[in-house]
Amino acid sequence: MSVVKKKRITYRTWINLYFIIMSITFILPFLLIVSASLTNEDILAKEGFKIIPPFIDWTGYKFVFSNVGEILRAYAVTTFQAFFGTFLSVLVMTLCAYPLSRKDFKFRKPITFFVFFTMLFNGGLIPTYLLNYKYLHLGNTIWIYILPTLCSAFYIIIFRTFFQGLPISLVESAKLDGASEIRIFFQIILPLSKPVLATVALLTLLTKWNDWYTSLIYITDSNLYTLQFLLKRILQEVEFLRFMANNTPPGIDLSYLEDMPVETLKFAMCIIAAGPMLLVFPFFQKYFAKGLTVGSVKG
């Protein structure tokens, strides 16, 4: 075996070892969370975290799903606003970015500046709340999760940068064949833009899935709570009850509240909230790494 070949094998071995170690450092915390969610509250407090729990305890999950209808309704609201909102958002942002990427568009520069300007300044919380709630009447509706965050200036610029890197000759040849701009966009541009579409869609989906702040500000109807906000409320209620049990005035017996799980409940909520996204990510993984480099070469 030649010296060069030995060096290559050694190099690949170290690279593989490095990525194995990095993978373990990412997987290990997740395994600890899963284990903690299945560990008894008292054992977790006394013995700490373990990769494999002494025995399986479903108390945290049972407490969360004590009202299954409420959890399923929150799942439905979150799933609809996250997936439909992501689809609509990506569609609108690509339709906005495509003309801005074309040099023959007359108002390309002023509109691009206007889009960029919104990244520097916003209307503020109170004016935004008044606009959405009082004038647009989006409060206590499912559309409050979708319409106000329909466009992101940063993602529009990302799409614009990617579209600029596509060969203009494809558009010109399609026009010579009689294709309209809409047909060029949907049948040529979008199929060639899968990496950036997958990347932006995944990041948008994660943002919408983890959204609880919108429910806090605009939603009073419990039927429209998102999963994250509902889980946050459940945790706050449990912590309050535990606090009351530990600070009860003499003569009042609330000792039964001391058995309510808090730590295992937190980890069970992490799994319940993050589980669906862990299943979704593999569908985007094929394009995600390539899409992350969008805009790194051409601005």
Side-chain angles (χ1 to χ4, degrees):
M1 186 181 295
S2 64
V3 177
V4 176
K5 194 171 183 180
K6 286 183 179 179
K7 288 183 178 180
R8 287 181 180 177
I9 294 175
T10 304
Y11 175 76
R12 290 177 182 176
T13 302
W14 282 108
I15 289 294
N16 292 334
L17 182 62
Y18 169 77
F19 281 108
I20 289 173
I21 295 173
M22 290 298 296
S23 300
I24 292 174
T25 59
F26 284 107
I27 295 173
L28 187 60
F30 177 73
L31 294 178
L32 288 173
I33 291 174
V34 174
S35 175
S37 69
L38 297 172
T39 304
N40 181 269
E41 183 86 2
D42 295 331
I43 295 177
L44 186 64
K46 293 177 182 178
E47 302 180 10
F49 295 90
K50 293 182 178 180
I51 296 294
I52 301 177
F55 61 92
I56 303 298
D57 187 343
W58 298 94
T59 304
Y61 292 95
K62 288 179 180 178
F63 194 90
V64 175
F65 287 102
S66 58
N67 191 342
V68 179
E70 195 174 22
I71 293 294
L72 292 179
R73 186 165 54 246
Y75 258 119
V77 170
T78 302
T79 301
F80 175 78
Q81 66 91 9
F83 283 89
F84 181 71
T86 298
F87 168 77
L88 202 60
S89 181
V90 170
L91 178 63
V92 171
M93 288 189 293
T94 52
L95 287 172
C96 177
Y98 176 61
L100 297 179
S101 68
R102 295 281 297 273
K103 294 183 179 180
D104 55 349
F105 179 48
K106 184 177 179 181
F107 302 103
R108 179 172 64 96
K109 289 185 178 181
I111 295 178
T112 300
F113 174 77
F114 178 79
V115 171
F116 173 74
F117 187 80
T118 61
M119 294 176 61
L120 307 177
F121 303 97
N122 59 55
L125 177 60
I126 295 177
T128 301
Y129 175 82
L130 293 175
L131 175 65
N132 291 331
Y133 200 91
K134 185 176 181 180
Y135 295 101
L136 299 180
H137 304 289
L138 295 176
N140 280 323
T141 67
I142 193 67
W143 301 108
I144 189 62
Y145 297 112
I146 298 173
L147 297 181
T149 57
L150 198 60
C151 288
S152 166
F154 177 73
Y155 290 150
I156 289 175
I157 293 175
I158 290 293
F159 279 125
R160 167 182 168 269
T161 302
F162 188 89
F163 293 156
Q164 285 178 336
L166 298 177
I168 192 64
S169 57
L170 293 174
V171 177
E172 294 173 348
S173 60
K175 280 188 174 183
L176 292 175
D177 292 335
S180 63
E181 290 288 355
I182 293 294
R183 186 174 181 181
I184 293 172
F185 176 74
F186 283 103
Q187 295 187 1
I188 297 178
I189 301 300
L190 290 188
L192 295 174
S193 305
K194 290 180 181 179
V196 67
L197 289 173
T199 302
V200 173
L202 178 61
L203 296 176
T204 304
L205 181 63
L206 289 174
T207 301
K208 290 183 174 294
W209 183 268
N210 293 320
D211 181 23
W212 59 271
Y213 187 72
T214 302
S215 297
L216 177 66
I217 299 296
Y218 295 102
I219 301 297
T220 57
D221 184 0
S222 60
N223 293 325
L224 293 174
Y225 285 163
T226 58
L227 179 64
Q228 305 289 350
F229 181 72
L230 179 62
L231 295 177
K232 182 176 181 294
R233 285 199 61 176
I234 293 174
L235 181 60
Q236 287 178 336
E237 290 171 0
V238 171
E239 289 178 341
F240 174 75
L241 292 175
R242 284 287 295 270
F243 174 79
M244 292 296 296
N246 295 327
N247 297 273
T248 305
I252 300 177
D253 183 19
L254 294 177
S255 58
Y256 63 93
L257 295 177
E258 295 178 359
D259 297 329
M260 299 182 69
V262 175
E263 295 303 321
T264 56
L265 182 64
K266 292 178 181 179
F267 296 112
M269 286 180 176
C270 290
I271 301 301
I272 293 170
M277 290 298 99
L278 294 176
L279 299 177
V280 168
F281 181 77
F283 295 98
F284 293 89
Q285 188 177 6
K286 180 180 178 181
Y287 306 102
F288 190 69
K290 184 177 179 181
L292 287 174
T293 61
V294 172
S296 60
V297 178
K298 185 176 181 180

